[in-house]
Each structure stands twice: as structure tokens, then as C-alpha cells.
Amino acid sequence: MPGVVVFGRRWGIASDDLVFPGSFELFVRVLWWIGTMILYTYHKGNFDCNGRGVLQSYLVGLLVVLALIILSLCAIVYVSAQGTITNPGPRRSIPALVYLRALLYIPEVVWACLGAVWVSDDSKGCDPATVGAVIAAVIASWIILLFTALGVVFVFDPLGNPRPQHAAMEPLGVRDMESSEGTQFFSTARSLAVKVWESRLRLLCCCLPQDESHRAAFSGIAKLVSGFFSDTDLVPSDIAAGLALLHQEQDKMEQSRDPDTIITHSPSSPIEEDLEVELEKAAHCMQFAAAAYGWPLYIYSNPLTGPCKLSGDCCRSHAAEYEIVGGDHLGCHFSSILHSTGLQYRDFLYVSFHNQIYEIPFFVALDHKREAVLVAVRGTLSLKDVLTDLSAECENLPIEGVTGACYAHKGMSQAAGYIYKKLVNDGILNQAFSIAPEYKLVITGHSLGAGTASLLAILLRNSFPTLQCYSFSPPGGLLSKALADYSKNFVVSVVLGKDLVPRLSIPNMEDLKRKILKIVSNCNKPKYRILLQGCWYELFGGEPDDFPTEMDNRREEELSQPLLGEESLMIRNSSSYQSLASDDSPAHTVAHLPLFMPGRVLHITEDGPSRRSCFSQVRYRAEWSNEMAFRSVLISPRMLADHMPDAVLWALNSLTSDKPFSLCPSSLNNSQHHTI
């Protein structure tokens, strides 16, 4: 932080990011130089073959070029390791060293061409080992040049054009953007950032139709992504270092927490059901939510037996027995659903694998065991689903009988509206209840399917007052407070451990950004040490690193200005800027409408030590929580693994079977409880 400025533009890499790539290249170059020196010494400068003069010149020149490259790399690695993330002063010479290193590519290309010419024209009669060594050197040169070119493309920043220089820079490098010139500059920069991200999305989704709905989704997502770090000058490695520091600080706070502050929250719903009964229902519904993913999850969960079970069913035709829509021409998805749920063909009334943006797969079946008409909505499994997930702006969702502001996640709200029209307008639910009029309606889903299922339940609640919804790992940024409170009467959300998605919302991400900026600004260690210690801690555990967490020794007037380096883009009126001065800064709390998880929240955690061996017994505990316990992102190796549907299903089955299980993937951190 900030991005290094060379060749007249800013790049997506900082001056302290060259330690690891420079060290790796240095290791390769030293081995290369040693091998070349051994070859030259072995022949003692005398080569008995054609073109020996060219060969000798090539080897001597290669030794000199490699020596110069090694010296430049040593300087780059040493200088890049100096200073801290927010103090790039000791690394001021990095641009000059980068220019020197780039200049050395010229003789390297010349010598690679010289070696290629010698191999092709003058290598006849020479020692095969010598010829092979020269060929290897030429190939190595071109491989390094190729990877260097790929690295340049990777760190190229389309927004890195030279910025206008201001006459006077502020003491800590924070520009006063209150002037009209500054406002106009940032408005132009943000517009350009949106266009760049739209182009990236179009390229990434080039296989999708470029119709109006997709263009609108690209535009909304581009505004969201480009605006997130638009007021900072962070590079990806700064974010990685901040996450590593934040994880260790959170674990340190967890270890120092008073056990007496860990309590169990009671559900706020007026209808208070027994926890064990809810767990039984949740475990049963999770089978259907997981089954909605089709054959990919079934094969993943049953890698040995799954392919054999599906192979005999995939090509059979059962079109007369159920209505199936889109995307399952071989029947593999439906066969996996049959195996996962244990239902019969006749129990399915409607199965849709049609998948477009805002239109996600679902199925409707008769669950005779629980006497329910069950609607299961699939979670994220395609690029179109990801676009639906990322359409995170708010959309009005007025509901009769609900007072207060009613709005919800746009992508999931539209997906719920799509399924609602199918169920109601196409008469699917009428058909189901004409077959089983005494059954009740149950809606379930996981992840994207959980958010969509919850919104679908809200839309159907007035027509089906007894419906229930089980939402597994739902997104945290889903409903307004009024709708979240309304849903507590009929929605149960199940969250496993430190799952990221239930804690994922725009306000939470803004809070995470603020914490990353603060902890990175306070840390006095170089970035390479932070990343090395962070990787070691994630892989092998140990005690959290002891690093400064408060700015107690700084002058009071400096607390209002973040230390972000000379070329920082942290602007004075931004939420992140103000929040560095105060954790309670209102700027970052009003920037986005608050969104909450649906319904009552059932939180499942591992009971016991936070880290255990792969062969130890694992027990889970379940307790009622509330949506406010998930207003902060927790950094952990389990934050993604706990979101997987098979992990949620395993935990629920463990709780309902009332016996310990040995589960290696859960041996990492996963013991977060609720603190008042």
C-alpha cells in the first residue's frame, strides 16, 4: 500500500510485494549460474567442436548476465522487505531497481537468441551434454520471459493512469478531496472503474446471453464491486495481510474471553418449539435442500458408490411419470435426487432444472413421512447463480400486514418472484393440495436457495398461514428488519460454525474493510513476515501473533488520519476514512440499508477444543441465537468449509443421532459462540 508507480502508471502490486517472487527467481537464477559455471569450468574454456568461439562467448556472457540479474534481485528482495505496509519510505528505490531489472531483460533476450542460433547451426560434433545444457538454458530463458509477461498482465491495473498532482500534499499523504477539482476527479475515476468492471464481467460471462437483464446485472454488480475499495489504495496482498492479522486478533480475543459471557439466546418467536424437534425437522429438510444440487453434490458426497448408482439410471426415460423442465437431458440430476431423498417417481409433481439469471432450479414433491408438500430450491451451482448472488442492491418487497420498511436482496427477491409465479400461476400448488389436501407446505433451500426460499415463504405466507421454511446457511444481507421480524413466525435459519455467507452483507463488508484498514495501519511488521506467519498459523495453529492493536502512542490529532502512504486514495469524507478515527462513525453505518437474516436462527458449533486431530471425536452443540450475533465477519479456515451443504447435513445428522463422529475436515477452528 500504495500500489507501486513505474513506467508512468500505478500497478496492482505494492513495493513490498516483490519479496516472494524475487526470492523464487533469485533461487532459480543462482542454481542456473552455478550450473553454467560448472559447465564452463569442466571444459576449461576449450571446446572441441564447431562454433566453439560462439559457445564460449555465449557461456561467458551468460555468466555475466546472470550475475547482474542476481545482484539486482538481491537488491530488490532486500529493499522490498524494508518498512511496513503503510510506511513505504524505506522502499523508495524500488522503482529504480525495477527499471534496472527490466533493462537486464534486453541482454537476456539477446543471449537466448544467440544460444538458439548456436544450437541450430554450430552445435555439430559437440558433446551432447553441452548441447543439452545450452538448450536447457535457452528454454529456461524463454520460460522466465513468458512468466514475466504473464505476471505483468496479471498485475496490470486498467485504472492506473497517472493521477493529477496536487500542489500541496497533506502530512500523512491524505488528499483533501473536498474541492470541486477533487470531487470531479473521483467522480471520473469511479465511472471509469464501473466501466472496467463491466468489461471484466462481460469477458468472464462471455458464454452467457448479452440481453437486457444480463446487462443490468453486470452494471449493478460493477457498481457494487468498484465502489467497495474505491476510497482506498489497497492491493490484493494488503487485503490478505489484513485478513491474516484480523484472524489472529479474533482468535486472541476468543481465547481471552470470559467463559461466563457465553450464553444461550432464546428465540424471539412467540411460538417456542422444542430445540430437539426443530433439529429433527431441520435434518430431514436438509436432505432435500442438498438433493436439489443434483448429481454434482451427490458424486462429491459419494465418490466411490455415487457414479455406480447413477450410471444405470441416467439414460432411462421417465418422462411420463413426472414433469421435468430444462437442463437434465440424461436424467442424472433427477436420479441423484431420488437416491438422496428416498422418494419415488410418483412423489414428484414438478422438477425444474431451468437456470438463468434470477431463475434458479427447484422441485416440488410430496413428503409422506412428514405429511408435507415440499418445495426445495437449489443453491449456487452456476455462473448465472453467482450473478444472482451478486445482485445485492435492495429492492422493495411490500407485504400485506407488515408495517415498516419492506425491502430485500434484489437477486433473490426476483428469483423468489419467478418461483412464486410458477407455483401459483401455473397451478402447481393447487395440484399438490388437490392430491394431499391435509398436507402442509414446507419450503427449504441452502445458500442462494435458502435466501430465495425464505423470500418465497414470505410471499406465500398470507395464502398458506401454516407454511414452514427451513433456511440453511442463508445470506446475512437478505431482509429488512421489518421482514426479518415478520419471518420469525415461520422461518428457521440454520447456521454452522463460522460460515461466511450468513455474515455476508454490504454493511458487514464495509465493517470488515474498516477493520482491515485499521489493523494494517497499526501493524509495525513488514508484509512478508505477516503473510509467512499467517500461513503458518492457518496450517499449523499455535498462539496468535502478538502485534499492536491500538494507536495508544500516537498523537491525538493523528488519530483522525489513516497512515496510507504517499499516493493514498483514502478520501476525507469517505466512510472508511472516518471510521479509522472512531469505531462508531456514522458514515459507514448509513451508507447502505441494513439487511438481516430471515427467521429464528439456530447456530450449530463444535463442542470442545477449537483444533483437534483428524481421528478425534467431534460433537456438535446447537443453540438459539439471533441475527445480531452475525453482524461481523469471522476470519477462519472454516469460513467456507462450514458453508458446504454436506458439512451442514453431517452436523445435523450428528446432532439428531446423538453420538460423536470422527470428521477430519472439521478439525480446524470452529468454536465460535455468542457473546453479549
Side-chain angles (χ1 to χ4, degrees):
M1 187 197 307
V4 65
V5 178
V6 291
F7 300 109
R9 66 180 304 114
R10 177 195 182 276
W11 297 79
I13 188 172
S15 58
D16 53 357
D17 286 334
L18 303 176
V19 175
F20 296 119
S23 299
F24 178 75
E25 186 181 357
L26 180 61
F27 175 74
V28 173
R29 297 287 186 175
V30 169
L31 291 181
W32 190 352
W33 189 89
I34 293 174
T36 305
M37 178 60 73
I38 291 174
L39 179 63
Y40 184 80
T41 305
Y42 174 76
H43 289 282
K44 297 181 181 179
N46 298 318
F47 298 91
D48 299 327
C49 62
N50 296 332
R52 55 182 176 271
V54 176
L55 177 59
Q56 185 169 351
S57 300
Y58 171 77
L59 292 178
V60 172
L62 183 60
L63 287 171
V64 174
V65 171
L66 287 175
L68 293 175
I69 292 175
I70 288 172
L71 291 176
S72 67
L73 289 174
C74 288
I76 288 174
V77 171
Y78 175 78
V79 175
S80 183
Q82 305 305 306
T84 63
I85 295 178
T86 55
N87 180 24
R91 303 188 296 272
R92 292 181 184 276
S93 58
I94 280 291
L97 293 173
V98 170
Y99 293 139
L100 174 62
R101 177 65 189 90
L103 194 63
L104 290 175
Y105 280 113
I106 298 175
E108 184 174 11
V109 171
V110 173
W111 249 251
C113 294
L114 181 62
V117 169
W118 179 84
V119 169
S120 61
D121 296 338
D122 301 325
S123 62
K124 296 179 181 179
C126 292
D127 180 19
T130 302
V131 176
V134 175
I135 292 175
V138 172
I139 293 175
S141 294
W142 289 112
I143 289 176
I144 290 178
L145 290 170
L146 174 62
F147 275 97
T148 301
L150 292 176
V152 169
V153 172
F154 183 76
V155 301
F156 179 78
D157 185 0
L159 303 176
N161 289 327
R163 301 188 181 102
Q165 298 294 323
H166 293 263
M169 300 297 294
E170 297 191 11
L172 290 176
V174 181
R175 296 176 180 175
D176 186 357
M177 303 307 295
E178 294 176 356
S179 65
S180 59
E181 179 185 356
T183 303
Q184 182 179 4
F185 166 69
F186 265 91
S187 176
T188 304
R190 285 168 179 164
S191 299
L192 179 59
V194 171
K195 293 180 180 179
V196 168
W197 277 103
E198 281 191 46
S199 300
R200 289 172 176 172
L201 288 171
R202 289 195 192 99
L203 180 62
L204 181 64
C205 306
C206 59
C207 58
L208 300 182
Q210 301 296 313
D211 54 20
E212 186 62 32
S213 62
H214 285 80
R215 285 194 293 270
F218 293 157
S219 177
I221 296 171
K223 291 178 182 178
L224 175 67
V225 176
S226 63
F228 185 59
F229 278 109
S230 63
D231 57 352
T232 67
D233 199 6
L234 293 172
V235 297
S237 60
D238 296 331
I239 300 173
L243 292 175
L245 292 172
L246 187 58
H247 179 208
Q248 294 178 65
E249 180 177 352
Q250 289 177 347
D251 282 0
K252 189 164 58 176
M253 295 174 61
E254 180 76 17
Q255 293 175 7
S256 62
R257 181 172 298 154
D258 186 356
D260 294 337
T261 63
I262 300 177
I263 68 169
T264 299
H265 298 283
S266 299
S268 57
S269 168
I271 305 175
E272 186 174 344
E273 296 190 46
D274 181 74
L275 181 60
E276 293 184 3
V277 175
E278 288 292 358
L279 284 173
E280 290 280 354
K281 293 179 180 179
H284 180 74
C285 289
M286 185 59 205
Q287 295 179 357
F288 293 88
Y293 282 95
W295 68 263
L297 181 61
Y298 184 77
I299 296 295
Y300 174 78
S301 303
N302 305 275
L304 299 179
T305 61
C308 297
K309 291 181 178 179
L310 294 183
S311 60
D313 298 332
C314 283
C315 296
R316 294 180 183 176
S317 176
H318 301 282
E321 300 184 52
Y322 60 92
E323 183 178 0
I324 186 167
V325 179
D328 192 31
H329 303 296
L330 297 179
C332 294
H333 281 306
F334 187 71
S335 296
S336 67
I337 292 175
L338 291 174
H339 285 290
S340 300
T341 61
L343 299 183
Q344 303 297 318
Y345 293 105
R346 61 179 179 272
D347 296 328
F348 289 86
L349 303 176
Y350 186 85
V351 182
S352 172
F353 296 105
H354 170 75
N355 193 198
Q356 291 294 334
I357 184 171
Y358 308 141
E359 299 175 2
I360 58 180
F362 70 99
F363 67 80
V364 181
L366 297 178
D367 180 12
H368 302 294
K369 181 178 180 180
R370 296 284 180 174
E371 295 186 344
V373 174
L374 193 139
V375 180
V377 187
R378 196 190 75 182
T380 302
L381 198 62
S382 71
L383 191 57
K384 300 163 188 172
D385 297 333
V386 173
L387 294 178
T388 302
D389 285 321
L390 294 178
S391 298
E393 57 266 39
C394 294
E395 180 174 84
N396 289 328
L397 188 68
I399 300 295
E400 183 180 353
V402 180
T403 57
C406 295
Y407 52 87
H409 183 286
K410 176 184 176 180
M412 297 180 194
S413 177
Q414 296 204 12
Y418 160 76
I419 298 177
Y420 176 86
K421 293 176 182 178
K422 290 288 184 181
L423 296 178
V424 176
N425 297 351
D426 293 357
I428 297 174
L429 289 182
N430 288 336
Q431 177 189 358
F433 285 105
S434 65
I435 298 173
E438 71 281 5
Y439 282 15
K440 61 184 178 182
L441 179 61
V442 176
I443 307 174
T444 189
H446 172 267
S447 189
L448 167 63
T452 304
S454 300
L455 289 167
L456 179 62
I458 291 174
L459 294 175
L460 291 170
R461 171 68 171 176
N462 290 329
S463 301
F464 300 90
T466 61
L467 74 76
Q468 288 182 305
C469 176
Y470 287 88
S471 173
F472 301 96
S473 307
L478 183 65
L479 300 171
S480 65
K481 182 62 175 174
L483 288 178
D485 291 339
Y486 172 69
S487 67
K488 290 179 180 179
N489 294 319
F490 53 92
V491 178
V492 173
S493 291
V494 179
V495 178
L496 175 61
K498 297 185 177 181
D499 186 355
L500 169 66
V501 173
R503 297 173 171 87
L504 206 57
S505 65
I506 296 179
N508 283 12
M509 293 304 295
E510 290 288 344
D511 176 70
L512 177 64
K513 178 177 70 172
R514 176 186 61 84
K515 290 179 178 178
I516 289 176
L517 288 170
K518 185 173 183 178
I519 201 167
V520 162
S521 299
N522 295 340
C523 187
N524 58 6
K525 293 184 178 180
K527 188 190 298 181
Y528 79 94
R529 286 187 58 191
I530 297 173
L531 295 175
L532 282 176
Q533 292 173 357
C535 290
W536 180 272
Y537 184 76
E538 300 295 342
L539 293 174
F540 305 106
E543 292 297 321
D545 189 24
D546 187 17
F547 50 86
T549 57
E550 296 296 337
M551 296 182 283
D552 297 332
N553 298 326
R554 298 183 184 175
R555 293 178 292 118
E556 185 67 26
E557 60 269 20
E558 291 179 344
L559 291 177
S560 62
Q561 297 182 355
L563 301 178
L564 296 180
E566 300 146 343
E567 292 295 323
S568 174
L569 286 181
M570 180 65 73
I571 58 176
R572 172 156 296 175
N573 58 357
S574 72
S575 61
S576 300
Y577 179 94
Q578 296 183 23
S579 62
L580 280 174
S582 171
D583 287 346
D584 300 323
S585 171
H588 69 280
T589 60
V590 300
H592 302 282
L593 294 173
L595 293 171
F596 301 87
M597 270 196 297
R600 296 177 292 161
V601 181
L602 189 57
H603 193 198
I604 300 174
T605 57
E606 283 188 15
D607 196 10
S610 59
R611 293 179 185 263
R612 50 170 63 90
S613 67
C614 292
F615 303 101
S616 62
Q617 292 181 331
V618 178
R619 285 186 179 275
Y620 292 93
R621 59 178 295 180
E623 55 192 5
W624 290 110
S625 181
N626 61 44
E627 68 276 4
M628 298 307 297
F630 300 89
R631 302 304 289 172
S632 180
V633 175
L634 299 180
I635 310 302
S636 168
R638 298 293 307 172
M639 60 194 300
L640 296 179
D642 284 344
H643 185 69
M644 297 299 291
D646 60 317
V648 179
L649 181 58
W650 185 287
L652 286 168
N653 288 337
S654 301
L655 286 166
T656 54
S657 61
D658 193 29
K659 62 180 180 180
F661 284 81
S662 177
L663 183 60
C664 180
S666 297
S667 62
L668 300 175
N669 268 340
N670 188 25
S671 61
Q672 174 68 21
H673 297 291
H674 314 304
T675 305
I676 298 299

